[in-house]
Amino acid sequence: MIDLLREIGQTLRNNRLRTTLTGVAVAWGIFMLIVLLGAARGVVNSFNDSMNETSTNTIVFWGGYTSQPYRGYKEGRQITLKGGDADALMRRNHDVSKVAAFASVDTAKIASERGVVSGGFQAVFEDAVREDHLEMLAGRFINGRDIAEGRRVLVLSDRDASQLFADAGSAVGKTVRCMGLAWTVAGVFTHPWRTQSYAPYTTYKAVTGNNDNAYQLTVTVENLRTEEDGEAAESALRATLGTEHGFAAEDNSAVWTWNRFISYLSNMQAMTYLNLAVWVIGIFTLLSGIVGVSNIMFVSVRERTHEIGIRRAIGAKPRSILVQILAESVAITAIFGYIGVFLGMVVLQVLSMFLGDSNGFKNPTVDISIALQVTVALIVAGALAGLFPALKAIKVKPVEALRDE
C-alpha cells in the first residue's frame, strides 16, 4: 500500500500542470453540484417551514355565486357561508375533526383614550394564529376559553397598538372601546402586512345580533393519504354545503375552494423533481471533469507503456497494474473533488449569511448525508474515469511494451 501511494504521488508530481488543469475541471463540477444541492435544500427547507406553519390536511371554502339553476333557484345566486355549517360538515363527514369559521367587521372602530383606529376586526377561532402566520409580541392570542365563554377580548396588531397606546407592549390587559362596548386587549401581534385586529368568533355573533355569516370555513380532515383521498373529501364537503345552501354539488363556482392537502402533495412532488434536476445537472457538470481525468489516464498509460512492459516482464500481475491505474484516477478525482466540496460549502455559508431566511431561501447548506452521497459519487466517478485506461494497460503484451519507444 505504501509503495502504491508513493507511485501515485510520483506520477502526480511528474505531471503537475496536466494534473492540475484536469483537477480544476473536477473541482468545478463538484463545486457546482454542492452549490446546486445546497440551493435546492434552501428552497425545500423554506417550503417545509411554510407547510409546518399551516395545516396541510385542511380544505378552505369561500362563498361564491351559482353558475347553474338548482331546484327552482336561478343561476347567479350568491352563496353566503354560515358558522353553523360547521355542525353539518362534522355530522355528515366522519373524517372531519375540526371546522373553523372566519368573519369580519370591517366598519368597526377601536378607540382608546389616546387615539382611534379603523379597519374593524376579524372573528376567528384559536387556530388563526397559525393559519395567518402571526408572531405574538406580547400577551396571547385568542384561546379556547375565549371562544367558549364569548369573552370580549381583542388581539391588536403592533401598528394599531402603537397608535392606541404609548407603547405597544403596554397594551396587554388594557381596555378599548369597539362597537359601543368595552374590550380587553389580550395580546399584540406582528405580521408583514396583516393589521386587522382579531376577536373570538362567538363574541362576534353575540355583539352582531347572532349574525352567523362567515366569509371563510377551514375544514380539517383526517386520514388523507393520496390525492384521490383529498379529491373525495373535497367532493363530500362540497355536497354537504350544497345540501345546506341549495346548490348543485358539481357547481364549482357556488363555493370556491383551496384544497391544501392536494397543493401539499403537488408541492412535494415539485420538490422531488427539483432535487432530481439538481442531481442530473450536477452529475453532467461533473462528467465534463471526469472525461478530462479519463483522457489524462489514457495519456499516462501511453507514456508509461515501456514501464508497464518491464513490470509485466518481471512478474507483475495484471491486477496490480489495474489497481495502480484505478488508484491514480480515484486520487486525482478525490483530491480536487474535495477542494470543490470545500469551496462549495464556503459559498453556501456566505449565501446563508447574507440571504438569511428571506425570499423562500432558508439554511442553504448540505448535511452529512449529502456529503456521503458526494463521496460515493467521487469514488465511482474516479473509478470509471480510470477503468478504460486501466483495461488498456493490462492488455499490453510485455514483449511489445519493451520494444515501444
Side-chain angles (χ1 to χ4, degrees):
M1 176 61 70
I2 296 177
D3 291 338
L4 178 60
L5 294 176
R6 287 175 178 173
E7 290 179 7
I8 293 173
Q10 183 65 35
T11 302
L12 298 182
R13 284 193 298 270
N14 291 341
N15 301 280
R16 291 178 182 176
L17 179 59
R18 187 170 62 193
T19 301
T20 301
L21 293 177
T22 304
V24 166
V26 176
W28 175 253
I30 290 293
F31 171 80
M32 290 301 300
L33 177 60
I34 290 296
V35 171
L36 289 172
L37 288 173
R41 178 59 61 88
V43 174
V44 171
N45 288 340
S46 179
F47 166 74
N48 288 335
D49 275 3
S50 65
M51 288 297 100
N52 290 335
E53 291 174 355
T54 58
S55 300
T56 57
N57 60 332
T58 58
I59 303 174
V60 185
F61 293 90
W62 297 273
Y65 294 85
T66 58
S67 61
Q68 61 189 60
Y70 182 75
R71 294 185 179 180
Y73 293 111
K74 294 183 178 181
E75 68 275 12
R77 182 167 51 94
Q78 183 178 4
I79 301 298
T80 302
L81 299 177
K82 303 286 185 180
D85 293 336
D87 292 336
L89 290 170
M90 295 189 68
R91 186 174 63 253
R92 300 176 189 173
N93 300 272
H94 300 298
D95 288 333
V96 173
S97 61
K98 186 187 302 182
V99 180
F102 294 77
S104 181
V105 182
D106 298 329
T107 57
K109 294 182 179 181
I110 303 173
S112 68
E113 295 180 357
R114 189 171 186 270
V116 179
V117 295
S118 59
F121 60 83
Q122 292 189 75
V124 298
F125 287 81
E126 58 266 34
D127 287 346
V129 65
R130 190 160 62 99
E131 296 292 333
D132 289 352
H133 302 174
L134 306 180
E135 179 183 351
M136 298 303 299
L137 294 180
R140 61 172 178 82
F141 195 71
I142 295 164
N143 59 30
R145 291 191 63 182
D146 296 332
I147 299 294
E149 300 175 10
R151 294 174 174 175
R152 288 201 302 271
V153 295
L154 286 174
V155 178
L156 304 177
S157 68
D158 54 349
R159 189 199 69 171
D160 287 353
S162 298
Q163 295 183 30
L164 294 172
F165 302 95
D167 176 33
S170 66
V172 177
K174 294 186 177 178
T175 301
V176 294
R177 301 286 299 180
C178 181
M179 302 179 69
L181 299 170
W183 301 68
T184 301
V185 178
V188 177
F189 72 89
T190 183
H191 189 273
W193 53 270
R194 295 184 187 275
T195 58
Q196 199 173 31
S197 301
Y198 290 85
Y201 187 85
T202 51
T203 309
Y204 151 78
K205 288 181 61 177
V207 300
T208 56
N210 207 33
N211 180 4
D212 199 26
N213 291 342
Y215 71 83
Q216 175 183 318
L217 294 175
T218 300
V219 184
T220 302
V221 185
E222 305 299 333
N223 303 318
L224 297 180
R225 296 180 179 84
T226 65
E227 185 173 340
E228 289 73 19
D229 292 341
E231 292 174 348
E234 180 179 335
S235 297
L237 295 173
R238 183 184 289 275
T240 300
L241 291 174
T243 300
E244 292 295 309
H245 294 275
F247 63 85
E250 64 273 12
D251 188 353
N252 292 330
S253 66
V255 289
W256 301 324
T257 62
W258 175 24
N259 195 322
R260 287 178 175 170
F261 179 73
I262 293 179
S263 297
Y264 170 74
L265 293 181
S266 299
N267 289 333
M268 287 296 293
Q269 188 175 32
M271 293 300 104
T272 301
Y273 290 150
L274 173 62
N275 278 323
L276 179 61
V278 165
W279 271 105
V280 170
I281 294 172
I283 291 299
F284 275 103
T285 305
L286 178 60
L287 283 177
S288 63
I290 300 306
V291 169
V293 174
S294 185
N295 288 335
I296 287 297
M297 297 313 298
F298 270 117
V299 173
S300 177
V301 169
R302 181 69 184 87
E303 291 179 345
R304 297 160 61 189
T305 301
H306 195 69
E307 173 194 336
I308 293 172
I310 294 175
R311 294 183 62 183
R312 291 292 305 278
I314 63 177
K317 295 181 179 180
R319 180 175 175 276
S320 65
I321 304 296
L322 180 67
V323 169
Q324 181 180 354
I325 302 300
L326 288 177
E328 290 179 11
S329 177
V330 170
I332 294 174
T333 308
I335 292 172
F336 288 94
Y338 281 114
I339 293 175
V341 170
F342 173 75
L343 294 177
M345 297 286 285
V346 170
V347 169
L348 290 177
Q349 289 296 333
V350 172
L351 288 176
S352 180
M353 185 185 304
F354 282 97
L355 295 180
D357 298 342
S358 61
N359 301 319
F361 202 64
K362 180 175 183 178
N363 191 23
T365 57
V366 293
D367 55 24
I368 187 64
S369 64
I370 298 297
L372 291 175
Q373 293 173 29
V374 171
T375 300
V376 172
L378 283 174
I379 295 173
V380 173
L384 290 176
L387 179 61
F388 293 106
L391 292 175
K392 181 180 179 181
I394 64 176
K395 291 179 181 178
V396 175
K397 295 180 180 180
V399 175
E400 294 179 0
L402 291 172
R403 287 203 307 259
D404 187 74
E405 295 294 337

